Each structure stands twice: as C-alpha cells, then as structure tokens.
Amino acid sequence: QVDRYLYHLRLSNDVLLDVMARFQAEMVKGLGRDTNPTATVKMLPSFVRSLPDGSEKGDFLAVDLGGSQFRAHQVKVFADGKQSSQLESKFYPTPKEVTEGNRAELFDYIADCLSDFMETKNLKHKKLPLGFTFSFPCKQTKLEEGVLLAWTKHFRVRGVQDTDVVSSLRKALQKHKANVDVLALVNDTVGTMMTCGYDDQRCEVGVIIGTGTNACYMEEMRHINLVEGDEGRMCINTEWGAFGDDGALDDLRTEFDRELDLGSLNPGKQLFEKMISSLYLGELVRLILLKMTKEGLLFNGKVSTALLTKGKIEMKHVSAMEKDKEGLSNTKEILTDLNLFPSEEDCVAVQHVCTIVSFRSANLCAAALAAILTRLRENKKLLRMRTTVGIDGGLYKTHPKYAKRLHKVVRRLVPTCDVRFLLSAGGSGTGAALVTAVAHRLAAQRRRIDAALAPLLLPLAVLREVKDRMRAELEYGLKRETQANATVKMLPTYVCGTPDGTEKGKFLALDLGGTNFRVLLVKIKSGRRRSVQMYNKIFAIPLEIMQGTGEELFDHIVQCIADFLEYMGIKGARLPLGFTFSFPCRQAGIDKGTLVGWTKGFKATDCEGEDVVDMLREAIRRRNEFDLDIVAVVNDTVGTMMTCGYEDPNCEIGLIAGTGSNVCYMEDMKNIEILEGNEGKMCINTEWGAFGDNGCIDHIRTKYDREVDEGSLNPGKQRYEKMTSGMYLGEIVRQILIDLTKQGLLFRGHVSESLRKRGIFETKFLSQIESDRLALLQVRRILQQLGLDSTCDDSIIVKEVCGVVSTRAARLCGAGLAAVLEKKRENQGVERLRITVGVDGTLYKLHPHFSRVLRETVKELAPQCDVTFMLSEDGSGKGAALITAVAKRLHNVGQK
C-alpha cells in the first residue's frame, strides 16, 4: 500500500541515468561564460588550483561559518612524510540575532570568537595565516576574495549579499587587533576535498550531505571560461543545491516536494537540496505521514497536533527509525511521543516511508555525483578511472544506511570508475587550514621559481645592448686589423650573385650539417617554365664516424654518394657539385673552404685547418669509381638565402634557427677590408654562433648556461649559439629542472636517474610541451616517457620553464638579426629598409612560438626595417645547387 502510494518517490535506473545526463548538461552550461548567467548549477571557480602534496607545514588558523555552530580551529601541519596534522577546535553558538542581524554584528561576532580562541590557545603574539570556511554560494575572483551571491540554510544577515565577505572579516579583525593574515576563502565542500586530499592524493571530488548538500571537483582550466588562463586545474564549487530551480526536475518533484518548498524560507530555490539534505527530509516524512493519516491509511485516521506542527519530525528521528535491529521499537517510541499511538502495521509503514524518502535522497545524490565522475574521467581521456571522493555531512555520517546506499548506486551508474569514498576526519576546518597551507606553500614556491627564472627574462634595454654589441662584433670581423681576433668571423663566401632565372642544368648537391647527410640531384629549368626538381636520399652519420678520423668521415660521405648515384642510375655522369658544409669555414674561393672548427657535436680528427673540398676530392680518388666537378662549398645559411632569393630577389639575408644558429647577408665589397676590390657585393657568413666567446655577453649568461657550456664538446666556444639553438635549449631546460628539483620546487624534490642524463630533454620536447593545443595531461605523459613522475603542478612549472628558455632564445636571435638589418639599412643609406630574410631550421619551423617571438623582437629593435620572413623550402640542398648553377653561369660569362 505504501509502495503504491509513494510510487513517484521511487527512481528507476533509467530515470537516474537521465538525471545524470541533465546534470552534466547543466555543468557545461555553468562553465560557459555566455551560458553561466542562466545556469542553475553555478559552477563557481574557487581559485584553489592545487591539492596538498605533503610538503605543507606550519601553524594555521581556520574559522568555519555555515552550520548551527561557529567553529574556530588551530591546525598544525607536519611535513614529516606521514601526512599528519593536529586539529584543536572550539565551538561557539550562532545566536539567531547574529544569523538574522546585520553585517557588522555578524563579522564582529566572528572576530570576537576568534580573538577569544587565540587568547585561549595563547596565540595572540603570533601572526598566523587564516582560512575562512564560508559555506554559502560565493563568486570568487581570487582565493582570498568572495562576493556572497545568496544566503542559504537558516542565515538571513542583512547587508552582506553582493559584498566581499573577506574584506568585511578583515575590517572586523583589524578592529579587534587580531594578528591574522586571511589567505583563503573556502567553501565547506572544498575544505572536505582538501582534508581528504591530504590523506589520499587521488581525492579530487568533495561532497557534503548534511544540513545542506553540495559538491566540488577539480576541473581542467581550459574548460572554465569564467576564468582567464588554460593551464592546470581549478576546484569548481558546483553549488548543486540549486539544480532544478529552472524546472528541470519538475517531472520528478512530487506534491510533497512542492508543499515543502512553499512552506520554506526560500520558495522556488535550492530545489535539489530540498530533495536531498537532512534539513528537509524529516519535514518531507511529516508531510507524507500527515496526508496518509488524513486519508485513513495510518493511525486510524487520527491526526495529532504534533503531526500538524512543522519541523516536528527531524532527520534524527528518520535515522533512528531506519536502524536495523532497534528500528521498529524506535519508531514506536517516536510516534508515541508524537501522540500518534501506532499499531504494529503503522510502525512498519512509517519505517517504510522513511526508507523510501532517504533512499530517494541517496539516489539523486548518486546521479549528480556520477555525472561529476564521468566528466573527470572524460577530461582525463581514460577508459577506466581510479579516484577518491572526500565526503562529509551529518546525513552521510549518522544515518545507518545512507552511505552504503550511495556507494552502491554510484558504482552502478558509473561502472568505469573505481571510487573510494573517504570520510573527512578534520572536516572543513582542517580543509580551510590546508587550503591556506597550500596557498602559503605556492606563494613561497612562486617567489623561488621567479627568482630562479629572473636571469633568463631579458628586458628590452638588455636586448638593445645585445644588438649594439653584435653590431660592433660584425664590424670587428670585417676590418683587416681586428678580424684575426674577432669572435664573429664574418667569413667571405665568394658567392657574389643571387639567381637571375637563367640558371639551368643538372647538379648534384651534398648537405652535411647534422646527424643526417643528404645527397640530392637537382634539375633546374630556366625560361617561362622555370622550375627546380629535386631527388634526394638521406643517410645517417653514426656517432663513431662523427667523432672518428677525418678520413673515415669523408670515406663514409663518398660511400653515400656512390649509393645515391647507383640508386639514380647516373654513376657515369660527371656532374657539377655543390657541397653544403654547415660548419665555420674560411674560404679562399668559392670551391675552397678551410674548416675553422667543428660545431654541433662533430669531432672528427685531422680536419680543422684543412680544405674540406680537397678532403672530399681525395676520398673520391681513393674510391676510384666516379668523378665529380666540385664547383662550390656552401654554408647552409647561404644555401637558405639563395633558395629564397630564387623566389624573391629582395632576399639578401639568410637565417638558420635549428640545431645550430647562424646568419649570412649580402655585404658591399667596399666594407669587406680583408678582400681586394670595392665593386659589387659578396655574401658574408657571419658565423655568429661564436658571438660572446670574448666575454662580451657574460653578464646575461646564467649558471645554467655555464653548466651546459662546461658539459659540451667545445667548452668556452659558440656561446651565443648555446643560448639560441635547438641543440642546447633542451639541455638548458634540464639544468633548470634539476636546480628547481634540488630546491624542492619540482618532482617532490626527487632528482630521478633519467633527469641526471645529459641530453635526455631534447628540444623537440620543448616544442611539444609548449604547444597551445596540448593539455597538461599530455604534458604529463611526455614527462612520464622521460621517466619524470610529475603532478599537474609540476607540469605547469615545466611548461613555464620551457617557455622562458625558448622565448629567451628567440629574443636573443631577434636582437642579433636586428643588428644585421640595421647594418644593411645603413649600407643602403635609406630611412626605411624593405628586405626579405630567408629562414630555415627546425626551431623556427616546428616550435609553436619561436618564429612569432623572433619577428616581434625584430620589429621592436629595428623599427625602421620592414622585414618579410620567407620560409626556405629545402634551403640547404636546393641552395647548394643554385649557388653551383650561379657560379657556373658567372664562370661562363667570365670565359666569354
């Protein structure tokens, strides 16, 4: 009979899955900037971005306003590796004149109680950080600021709504001369999650089921449109009690729910809370019993005064009546006290009503919680998720069967989530103290991270100084009397012209400049159907060859050429060849290049001081299988400029920003004092990687740069390149990460074996980690591949370090390029220079921000230059062939 009567209070699995879907949709609405104003589930950002990591320590105060009593707490947090804290509390009543008075009375009362507590605990002499648990919906704009949206529960204090409750508390504390620093405003739900998160680091959801009900969870920042930034996570206070205030649950609300709502202090509001929380369940039972009695289904139809009295049946009665063994006798006793004189059948029926009402509460709560868990799992892109839900509240703790029912339904609704429910021991007080402790830790951590990274942040004034010093070094390298001692060598390339479109023929090109070696066949057509066709093959250069003897290196190169000629079926042809050799060479002619010194990890012996073209010719002779006409030895930077010059005659600068870093440009012959002749132009290979080897930029080199330099194959050399090129950026990042870890700011202070390995952090990881499209979860995966077990907070710091290092590289590179551009502008004697820079290199092409930062820096430092950056398509190979073709054309013109 009772089952039939209360049929609408029973919710099937399908109905619960539907409630779950409705709640998920409402969450999305609450997170959107445009949709949030009309959302009932407000999804309030709490500005709690981090969970405790166990390193928090110190004495903290917390005050807790929201229940029937006001509480003050002292929390000692110990960083003893055991995740331990000690809580001492004092409870104060919250009189009606305070809960229904005005703002000044409320906050004076709080300050009074706190002062009394500090006096009792002898804490007046200490300045302690305080966390304020304020269990009402607040709109927060930072951790220590929150505007009250609306009172809930039994609070009705005038003048508080739409004001910042933290500033009101601070004023009251100042008036009472309380020596306290309010660091955090915390909702009780957030406090619960933080308390449980201290004991179990998997805890990322907090739920309160008591006088009120609410949930919070850690949401990805990229989904929270209400807050700037998309890095990391933030705890969202859902304020789920208002779910259904827009009518979304009207089909599930019964006549009893509507009657209860109409008799409440806030009709039409907090409708979900009114179906779940202990504040209303006793009243719901009373309304059901009253109607059943009036209809003659209970107590022989006799309605007692008690049954007509609002609030006469409380949640404690419902809990007592549902107990397993003594439930029936408790029911008889409670009903007798209400002058209802029940029969045995009445007691069973009433007990059944209580079960149905409390079971519906657990069901609805489980559906909303299941929606949150599903969202967490989808955010993490996991098929199955293990997580912990921190939980608190009188209904959950004191009702004999509530917890078990809730757990069972949640597991049924989300079988893909393995959920542990953890009861909050210290409750919201410890939680508020822990939020404060985490904020305290993060503020100290932030200061230390900023101090570590500060030397890498180069202001505009410093960049201008770098530009001026680069400019001076360019001049030293061009002048006869200073060239010998110049660090920027300004090597003449004997490339005196750029393509004019008449070049044609078949050419071979070699490209040596990194761990891969390429051989290319390039077919150039002139005239109206001008085109360049290329065929190439890539060969690896093993480390033992890179660091073996010169003879072995060049024999390996010739072996690769032989394989390519065989592959292309052109072994007998004597083709003109251009050799892209991306290392500093002093040239005495276009086909003569003496190696000044190896870079980029090459160490082959008996090469430095030798002509690399002669070494290649000798290796070809030794093999005695084919002959080639070696026309030009070319630097990859020059090749890049020539490739872009073929498309755009305005291109007179070539820039490489990749494994290495270098620039070349067309210089007026009259300025190149080390060469005879004043007519025309010649391309100068600056070899700017060695800028600073004389100490002129030591003031901007950090301890991390010095570590990288000392551990390199060529200590003291190529200092500018070591701050700007792809070969070294990952290693700079690794050195910073080691330093931050040793300071206890990363990876829980543990320097893993993998982090100790030189070269483990490749520059490609910087490009991946800094990608805007990459969520922190993917950053964590990259770090895990490197054997670095990172938290979400660690991933944010690693991403920041990568950004600082790559930005500095791009800005330094931009400062150097600005010096070259200004020189070109002065050479031409123009007010404004229009010029194209041909660019190649993986750092420029693949890094998500390098090219943009470089361009912005050039614009700031060379404002009178209008620069077009042109990406070189296969610069070094095609460029070598074009230089060879131009050299052949000029040679033929000379012969004629």
Side-chain angles (χ1 to χ4, degrees):
Q1 209 175 9
V2 173
D3 272 355
R4 264 203 319 275
Y5 196 79
L6 299 181
Y7 173 76
H8 293 298
L9 284 160
R10 288 187 169 280
L11 305 175
S12 69
N13 221 44
D14 287 345
V15 169
L16 292 178
L17 288 168
D18 185 42
V19 171
M20 187 175 149
R22 291 184 216 181
F23 190 78
Q24 275 179 302
E26 203 55 36
M27 286 168 77
V28 172
K29 202 172 165 187
L31 288 170
R33 185 179 276 113
D34 298 332
T35 49
N36 175 273
T38 57
T40 54
V41 178
K42 282 297 174 198
M43 306 295 281
L44 303 171
S46 68
F47 290 82
V48 170
R49 297 170 190 265
S50 298
L51 296 166
D53 70 356
S55 66
E56 293 79 13
K57 60 180 177 185
D59 276 355
F60 301 92
L61 289 172
V63 290
D64 188 345
L65 182 76
S68 53
Q69 289 181 307
F70 172 74
R71 292 172 289 179
H73 313 273
Q74 181 192 3
V75 184
K76 286 179 189 287
V77 182
F78 305 101
D80 53 6
K82 294 175 187 168
Q83 307 285 89
S84 57
S85 62
Q86 187 181 311
L87 174 72
E88 290 186 41
S89 308
K90 193 169 177 185
F91 291 66
Y92 298 86
T94 44
K96 201 168 181 182
E97 58 268 24
V98 169
T99 61
E100 295 183 6
N102 62 38
R103 177 170 57 174
E105 287 163 352
L106 173 67
F107 288 100
D108 278 346
Y109 181 72
I110 293 172
D112 255 340
C113 296
L114 183 62
S115 296
D116 172 73
F117 179 72
M118 291 174 77
E119 192 87 62
T120 311
K121 298 288 173 194
N122 194 23
L123 297 172
K124 284 278 193 184
H125 61 288
K126 287 184 176 180
K127 183 163 175 110
L128 291 176
L130 175 127
F132 181 19
T133 301
F134 188 75
S135 309
F136 306 94
C138 277
K139 185 181 179 184
Q140 289 187 246
T141 44
K142 47 178 106 155
L143 185 60
E144 70 284 11
E145 191 178 278
V147 171
L148 175 66
L149 295 177
W151 285 115
T152 55
K153 302 166 190 161
H154 56 281
F155 279 73
R156 292 287 168 277
V157 183
R158 298 182 301 282
V160 183
Q161 205 166 319
D162 301 323
T163 67
D164 174 23
V165 294
V166 175
S167 59
S168 296
L169 177 61
R170 282 188 178 134
K171 278 176 199 156
L173 290 169
Q174 277 165 3
K175 204 160 94 182
H176 284 71
K177 296 188 169 55
N179 196 14
V180 170
D181 188 10
V182 186
L183 285 189
L185 177 71
V186 185
N187 182 279
D188 54 348
T189 324
V190 181
T192 295
M193 183 190 75
M194 290 299 268
T195 305
C196 296
Y198 190 59
D199 297 322
D200 179 347
Q201 291 198 328
R202 284 188 193 277
C203 182
E204 47 196 346
V205 181
V207 177
I208 298 274
I209 313 165
T211 320
T213 182
N214 194 12
C216 69
Y217 73 103
M218 295 301 286
E219 176 60 89
E220 301 286 323
M221 279 288 289
R222 67 181 191 274
H223 296 151
I224 310 171
N225 292 335
L226 311 165
V227 176
E228 290 304 313
D230 57 3
E231 293 303 325
R233 301 193 301 167
M234 183 183 284
C235 180
I236 289 290
N237 165 20
T238 66
E239 285 299 334
W240 76 9
F243 176 42
D245 286 7
D246 57 352
L249 295 176
D250 279 4
D251 56 327
L252 300 180
R253 290 172 70 228
T254 64
E255 58 179 305
F256 307 114
D257 294 308
R258 282 188 275 276
E259 194 177 340
L260 181 142
D261 177 41
L262 286 170
S264 68
L265 287 167
N266 53 354
K269 291 184 178 171
Q270 299 295 107
L271 296 183
F272 189 61
E273 182 167 85
K274 285 169 185 168
M275 297 164 87
I276 290 179
S277 80
S278 62
L279 191 64
Y280 301 99
L281 294 194
E283 182 60 9
L284 198 58
V285 167
R286 183 188 73 80
L287 290 171
I288 293 167
L289 298 185
L290 178 60
K291 186 164 186 201
M292 288 176 78
T293 307
K294 281 180 177 177
E295 292 184 11
L297 298 172
L298 285 175
F299 315 125
N300 294 320
K302 288 177 184 168
V303 178
S304 71
T305 312
L307 210 49
L308 289 166
T309 310
K310 188 177 168 186
K312 203 67 182 173
I313 297 180
E314 296 175 39
M315 194 62 224
K316 64 181 180 184
H317 300 134
V318 177
S319 296
M321 288 192 273
E322 279 196 75
K323 283 188 177 164
D324 270 335
K325 287 177 184 167
E326 62 268 39
L328 270 178
S329 60
N330 287 346
T331 306
K332 193 173 179 80
E333 198 179 311
I334 291 163
L335 295 174
T336 304
D337 285 349
L338 295 171
N339 293 324
L340 288 165
F341 311 109
S343 66
E344 195 72 27
E345 289 81 6
D346 288 337
C347 291
V348 171
V350 170
Q351 198 178 29
H352 203 50
V353 169
C354 291
T355 301
I356 289 171
V357 167
S358 61
F359 216 127
R360 184 184 70 155
S361 165
N363 274 332
L364 286 170
C365 194
L369 180 55
I372 291 173
L373 293 168
T374 302
R375 182 168 180 87
L376 267 178
R377 184 180 62 76
E378 286 170 357
N379 280 352
K380 294 180 179 187
K381 296 182 170 61
L382 295 174
L383 292 173
R384 191 165 195 89
M385 176 180 77
R386 273 184 70 198
T387 193
T388 298
V389 172
I391 201 155
D392 201 358
L395 180 55
Y396 182 86
K397 288 197 282 194
T398 59
H399 189 283
K401 296 176 182 175
Y402 197 96
K404 209 171 183 179
R405 288 169 184 165
L406 178 75
H407 301 175
K408 198 174 173 183
V409 181
V410 166
R411 287 178 181 131
R412 196 172 74 231
L413 293 176
V414 277
T416 49
C417 295
D418 301 319
V419 189
R420 178 191 180 207
F421 288 88
L422 182 60
L423 193 60
S424 165
S428 48
T430 302
L434 284 166
V435 172
T436 311
V438 170
H440 203 59
R441 165 174 66 81
L442 291 177
Q445 186 186 52
R446 184 72 258 165
R447 285 192 294 274
R448 289 164 68 197
I449 291 168
D450 288 346
L453 298 181
L456 291 117
L457 306 174
L458 304 178
L460 213 50
V462 172
L463 291 170
R464 283 199 181 95
E465 195 185 328
V466 170
K467 179 186 87 167
D468 294 344
R469 290 190 183 190
M470 175 68 87
R471 178 66 200 273
E473 293 293 318
L474 298 175
E475 299 291 354
Y476 292 150
L478 288 172
K479 294 203 168 6
R480 189 177 280 111
E481 66 272 19
T482 51
Q483 207 275 338
N485 297 319
T487 53
V488 179
K489 286 295 177 195
M490 306 295 280
L491 304 171
T493 64
Y494 294 84
V495 170
C496 298
T498 49
D500 67 359
T502 64
E503 294 78 13
K504 61 183 177 180
K506 282 185 189 176
F507 304 89
L508 270 184
L510 310 180
D511 183 2
L512 178 72
T515 48
N516 289 328
F517 168 63
R518 287 193 312 155
V519 187
L520 305 95
L521 174 64
V522 183
K523 294 178 182 176
I524 303 174
K525 285 184 185 170
S526 60
R528 278 176 60 199
R529 304 182 76 175
R530 200 172 79 132
S531 68
V532 178
Q533 277 181 305
M534 290 191 295
Y535 310 88
N536 75 83
K537 204 165 183 199
I538 296 173
F539 302 89
I541 299 198
L543 191 65
E544 60 271 19
I545 299 275
M546 283 169 71
Q547 298 182 10
T549 67
E551 198 169 287
E552 285 167 342
L553 174 63
F554 281 90
D555 283 348
H556 180 74
I557 288 169
V558 172
Q559 172 69 56
C560 297
I561 298 170
D563 289 352
F564 179 75
L565 296 174
E566 187 93 52
Y567 171 71
M568 295 299 295
I570 50 170
K571 209 158 191 179
R574 189 174 186 273
L575 295 173
L577 179 141
F579 184 12
T580 299
F581 187 75
S582 310
F583 303 93
C585 280
R586 188 167 275 108
Q587 289 186 245
I590 198 164
D591 62 347
K592 293 178 176 61
T594 303
L595 176 63
V596 174
W598 286 118
T599 57
K600 300 180 212 170
F602 276 74
K603 267 290 196 191
T605 57
D606 310 320
C607 294
E608 292 180 3
E610 299 294 324
D611 185 339
V612 294
V613 176
D614 287 346
M615 293 183 84
L616 180 61
R617 283 185 179 130
E618 280 166 30
I620 291 170
R621 266 199 298 275
R622 273 198 301 278
R623 190 169 180 92
N624 199 23
E625 272 184 31
F626 53 83
D627 196 16
L628 296 168
D629 174 17
I630 305 172
V631 173
V633 62
V634 183
N635 183 277
D636 56 346
T637 324
V638 184
T640 295
M641 183 189 77
M642 291 298 267
T643 302
C644 294
Y646 185 67
E647 306 293 334
D648 179 354
N650 211 26
C651 180
E652 292 204 338
I653 298 176
L655 167 68
I656 297 283
T659 314
S661 178
N662 197 13
V663 153
C664 71
Y665 72 104
M666 296 301 288
E667 178 59 271
D668 295 350
M669 281 295 290
K670 65 177 184 284
N671 295 332
I672 310 171
E673 291 185 8
I674 50 175
L675 292 182
E676 296 300 316
N678 286 327
E679 292 304 310
K681 293 178 181 180
M682 182 183 285
C683 181
I684 290 289
N685 166 20
T686 65
E687 284 301 334
W688 77 1
F691 172 51
D693 287 6
N694 58 359
C696 73
I697 56 170
D698 275 5
H699 63 299
I700 64 165
R701 288 174 77 228
T702 64
K703 61 180 178 180
Y704 311 118
D705 296 308
R706 285 189 281 276
E707 287 272 0
V708 170
D709 180 35
E710 284 159 21
S712 69
L713 290 166
N714 54 350
K717 293 182 178 172
Q718 300 294 107
R719 288 182 182 178
Y720 182 65
E721 181 168 81
K722 283 170 186 167
M723 296 164 86
T724 55
S725 80
M727 186 166 188
Y728 300 98
L729 297 192
E731 188 57 19
I732 297 170
V733 168
R734 188 183 74 89
Q735 291 295 343
I736 297 171
L737 299 186
I738 287 175
D739 182 35
L740 295 180
T741 307
K742 283 179 177 172
Q743 288 187 51
L745 303 171
L746 260 183
F747 308 132
R748 299 178 187 85
H750 172 62
V751 181
S752 65
E753 278 311 304
S754 54
L755 198 55
R756 293 179 201 277
K757 286 181 195 159
R758 187 170 293 280
I760 182 84
F761 208 98
E762 296 171 46
T763 299
K764 70 175 181 186
F765 295 129
L766 266 83
S767 295
Q768 289 169 7
I769 286 168
E770 286 188 71
S771 167
D772 291 330
R773 294 191 306 277
L774 208 65
L776 276 180
L777 208 64
Q778 291 156 295
V779 173
R780 282 181 77 177
R781 283 200 194 120
I782 292 167
L783 295 174
Q784 276 160 0
Q785 284 165 20
L786 295 171
L788 302 170
D789 184 22
S790 71
T791 62
C792 185
D793 293 342
D794 290 337
S795 304
I796 293 172
I797 296 167
V798 171
K799 192 165 183 175
E800 183 183 353
V801 170
C802 291
V804 166
V805 169
S806 62
T807 298
R808 183 187 69 155
R811 283 172 78 75
L812 281 174
C813 197
L817 185 56
V820 174
L821 287 161
E822 281 297 312
K823 182 162 194 352
K824 285 287 293 174
R825 190 177 68 79
E826 286 173 31
N827 281 357
Q828 289 187 22
V830 291
E831 189 66 32
R832 285 201 84 75
L833 174 73
R834 282 187 66 243
I835 194 164
T836 298
V837 176
V839 198
D840 202 357
T842 48
L843 197 54
Y844 187 90
K845 287 201 273 199
L846 301 181
H847 190 280
H849 307 299
F850 188 93
S851 59
R852 174 183 54 79
V853 176
L854 170 71
R855 291 194 300 270
E856 285 169 0
T857 307
V858 166
K859 205 169 186 176
E860 283 178 309
L861 297 178
Q864 290 166 278
C865 301
D866 300 323
V867 187
T868 302
F869 286 86
M870 184 178 188
L871 204 54
S872 161
E873 293 304 324
D874 195 60
S876 40
K878 188 175 174 181
L882 284 164
I883 289 167
T884 305
V886 171
K888 274 284 186 196
R889 171 170 62 77
L890 295 176
H891 178 71
N892 292 342
V893 169
Q895 279 191 326
K896 282 176 188 170

